[in-house]
Amino acid sequence: MGYLKDLFKEKSDVHGKEIKAIIEKYGNRKVEDVLLAQVYQGMRGITGLVTETSLLDANEGIRFRGYSIPELREKLPKAETGNEPLPEGLFHLMLIGDLPTQNDVEHISAVWARRSHVPNYVFSVIEAFPISAHPMTQFTAAIVALQTESKFAKAYNDGISKKEYWSYVYEDTMTLIARLPRVAAYIYRRKYRNGDHIQPDGMLDWAGNFAHMLGFEDEGFKELMRLYLTIHADHEGGNVSAHATHLVGSALSDPYLSFAAGMTGLAGPLHGLANQEVVRWIEEMCKELDTDAPNKEQIAEYIKKTLLEGKVVPGYGHAVLRKTDPRFVAQMEFAKRHCPESKMIQTVWNIYEVAPTILENTGKIKNPWPNVDAHSGALLKHYGLVEEDFYTVMFGVSRALGVLASLCWDRALGFPIERPKSITTEWVKKNIAKEEAVA
Ligand code: CMX
């Protein structure tokens, strides 16, 4: 076994024993009572999952294994010429639980570079789609196509013991993450650059190589990729992409199939597709107002119009967060340092100044503050990656780090098939009638 895999085994054995002891001693403890409204309304706020890689605080935002985004930007190893964290380091932190050394991230970069070869038939699957197919459709299909390489599926078929599941899930995780940038870049170059593909550069880090294969050699863009692929990686377990991956994985579907399920969820406009929607919304506003720099009054009117039309203001609101998303702040800081002159970025900042008050005044939106998707598109546009349909694929490449590290933990800890109880409204009405008759 490689040393990272040995380390994961060591950590997960210890943690597995700890969890067993907790369940034995405290398993009968109640976490919380569930309200009927929560059952009907998206299970909001119901604690029903364990996800070890990250934890979301409503006011403070995400912490990965206890570290906030500003702390990660300071403490995670960087590329030789860069200031932003290497996503390899965040993967190590989420998988092992400890901050990595520079050697650790170099090791992961090297393993991923070694495993990055994508079989030709996967490209044939992508090529079979009409060029007009949404990049997320092509991406998800390519991930399913890669599944024929699953070591877990093969080992399960050969009849391995439960105790070995984690080992094959780990192998699939490392290979799938290694291949995603190549698959994503292929889709990009096929759809937007006349199929003029760029071969990987095995000497670059995972994010730097992704930028290279997309066709962006600018060091600023590579830095943005390192930040982008770090901050989008994980957002605890209940969000649609993480939960879908975990849920499907609990049926012992292999990591490829589980991750593909997560990606079909990420492709929804209320989740990952919001980054594309934000840019479109800004561009439509600019077109309608016939300016590339709308002022705050104009933006405020446009937000009110969007709400009146019964649409959402993309990039704002969150199911858990109740303050500005620190992932938005990280991107704002990056933009202030690298490209404060961009008109679209300035518009993003102006929206930030006026939208929260208007959204709050509706009296129904629980979180009027921006989320990660409010900023990302404007930064990508600045560097010339202008095809917004592609943005969710980039989100997906990053999300693999968190949800697949979690899947390794799921299997190492022996989590069972997930099967919450559902009820019918008939059941609800009968129970209410019974309770009222007693009262
Ligand atoms: N614009 C307009 N209305 C909004 C809104 C927004 N940005 N955010 C919430 N609302 C509305 C909801 O649609 C809901 O309306 P109804 O009662 O008429 O159904 C009401 O306010 C209450 O919703 P909520 O409890 O505040 O929010 P939810 O937890 O139900 O939904 C989210 C959260 C993110 C889906 C929602 O805020 C939204 O649709 N935002 C815009 C899309 C977006 O940016 N998504 C990306 C989220 C981050 C990510 O996953 O990538």
Side-chain angles (χ1 to χ4, degrees):
M1 278 199 280
Y3 87 89
L4 190 70
K5 193 173 178 184
D6 287 340
L7 195 54
F8 175 65
K9 169 92 178 105
E10 204 180 290
K11 292 272 180 184
S12 56
D13 280 350
V14 172
H15 197 52
K17 285 192 189 115
E18 207 179 353
I19 291 177
K20 208 169 161 215
I22 291 173
I23 297 173
E24 266 167 26
K25 198 162 173 202
Y26 303 107
N28 285 333
R29 284 209 178 181
K30 271 196 170 179
V31 178
E32 64 194 16
D33 288 327
V34 173
L35 303 176
L36 198 50
Q38 291 176 291
V39 175
Y40 270 104
Q41 293 167 339
M43 299 190 279
R44 204 68 83 258
I46 299 177
T47 304
L49 293 168
V50 171
T51 302
E52 305 289 10
T53 46
S54 65
L55 185 67
L56 182 58
D57 178 89
N59 293 310
E60 199 195 32
I62 193 70
R63 276 184 183 267
F64 302 85
R65 296 281 189 179
Y67 293 97
S68 67
I69 286 179
E71 284 165 350
L72 289 187
R73 288 179 86 189
E74 186 203 318
K75 291 180 195 297
L76 285 180
K78 324 249 181 315
E80 219 172 276
T81 50
N83 284 312
E84 296 300 339
L86 288 167
E88 288 90 327
L90 177 63
F91 178 75
H92 182 286
L93 177 65
M94 290 190 290
L95 185 76
I96 303 297
D98 300 327
L99 283 172
T101 62
Q102 195 74 34
N103 278 347
D104 291 326
V105 298
E106 281 167 18
H107 170 74
I108 295 174
S109 287
V111 171
W112 288 351
R114 237 185 359 257
R115 293 194 185 199
S116 64
H117 173 75
V118 174
N120 270 336
Y121 71 86
V122 175
F123 299 134
S124 305
V125 168
I126 295 171
E127 292 292 344
F129 278 90
I131 201 90
S132 58
H134 193 281
M136 278 304 276
T137 308
Q138 300 187 42
F139 188 53
T140 311
I143 295 161
V144 175
L146 279 168
Q147 187 269 346
T148 57
E149 304 261 308
S150 171
K151 293 233 176 348
F152 177 82
K154 181 173 180 319
Y156 190 86
N157 206 33
D158 293 345
I160 43 158
S161 151
K162 281 180 179 183
K163 292 197 180 103
E164 292 176 70
Y165 290 169
W166 73 273
S167 169
Y168 295 95
V169 167
Y170 174 90
E171 293 301 334
D172 279 355
T173 289
M174 295 301 272
T175 304
L176 178 51
I177 292 174
R179 293 176 175 184
L180 287 174
R182 176 84 169 109
V183 167
Y186 189 94
I187 293 166
Y188 181 78
R189 301 291 302 182
R190 170 184 188 240
K191 191 167 166 78
Y192 307 112
R193 295 292 184 275
N194 296 319
D196 178 14
H197 298 292
I198 299 171
Q199 289 305 309
D201 178 347
M203 299 311 285
L204 288 169
D205 56 282
W206 187 68
N209 189 34
F210 185 32
H212 160 74
M213 288 186 288
L214 288 169
F216 296 83
E217 296 301 346
D218 184 273
E219 200 43 45
F221 185 82
K222 287 192 175 131
E223 277 289 87
L224 175 63
M225 272 307 90
R226 291 170 190 133
L227 178 66
Y228 186 102
L229 297 179
T230 297
I231 63 176
H232 287 80
D234 210 31
H235 219 221
E236 72 170 36
N239 67 78
V240 172
S241 52
H243 190 190
T245 307
H246 164 82
L247 169 67
V248 174
S250 83
L252 298 185
S253 303
D254 61 63
Y256 295 87
L257 297 179
S258 307
F259 181 61
M263 290 302 96
T264 53
L266 193 75
L270 295 189
H271 188 23
L273 205 75
N275 52 14
Q276 136 187 336
E277 297 300 299
V278 167
V279 164
R280 287 201 182 145
W281 183 83
I282 293 175
E283 283 177 347
E284 275 161 25
M285 168 170 68
C286 290
K287 195 168 163 210
E288 202 169 304
L289 299 169
D290 196 22
T291 171
D292 58 358
N295 62 37
K296 287 180 201 160
E297 289 71 34
Q298 289 173 308
I299 293 170
E301 286 315 307
Y302 197 77
I303 292 170
K304 287 178 193 157
K305 177 173 167 288
T306 302
L307 293 173
L308 268 176
E309 286 168 353
K311 298 182 197 161
V312 295
V313 176
Y316 279 75
H318 200 272
V320 180
L321 277 170
R322 294 295 175 258
K323 284 274 161 65
T324 298
D325 191 334
R327 299 173 298 175
F328 176 91
V329 176
Q331 294 179 88
M332 190 157 92
E333 281 170 10
F334 185 95
K336 282 190 174 152
R337 193 152 11 104
H338 294 276
C339 41
E341 72 291 347
S342 151
K343 291 233 168 71
M344 188 182 264
I345 287 172
Q346 285 170 6
T347 300
V348 166
W349 296 345
N350 284 333
I351 297 169
Y352 183 34
E353 286 196 31
V354 297
T357 310
I358 300 169
L359 297 178
E360 192 155 36
N361 287 343
T362 63
K364 70 168 188 175
I365 298 171
K366 295 193 191 68
N367 177 39
W369 301 101
N371 58 57
V372 65
D373 300 314
H375 210 306
S376 52
L379 269 166
L380 293 167
K381 284 258 170 188
H382 168 78
Y383 283 100
L385 206 157
V386 295
E387 300 86 358
E388 65 266 9
D389 286 19
F390 189 71
Y391 295 168
T392 313
V393 173
M394 305 175 87
F395 191 156
V397 170
S398 169
R399 189 45 61 103
L401 302 178
V403 301
L404 291 174
S406 274
L407 206 62
C408 291
W409 277 98
D410 291 350
R411 295 292 76 79
L413 297 175
F415 285 169
I417 187 164
E418 195 171 278
R419 193 7 176 132
K421 177 81 186 81
S422 72
I423 49 175
T424 61
T425 300
E426 197 50 38
W427 183 97
V428 172
K429 286 198 284 192
K430 269 191 197 152
N431 271 272
I432 291 173
K434 246 194 252 168
E435 273 174 31
E436 285 181 346
V438 172

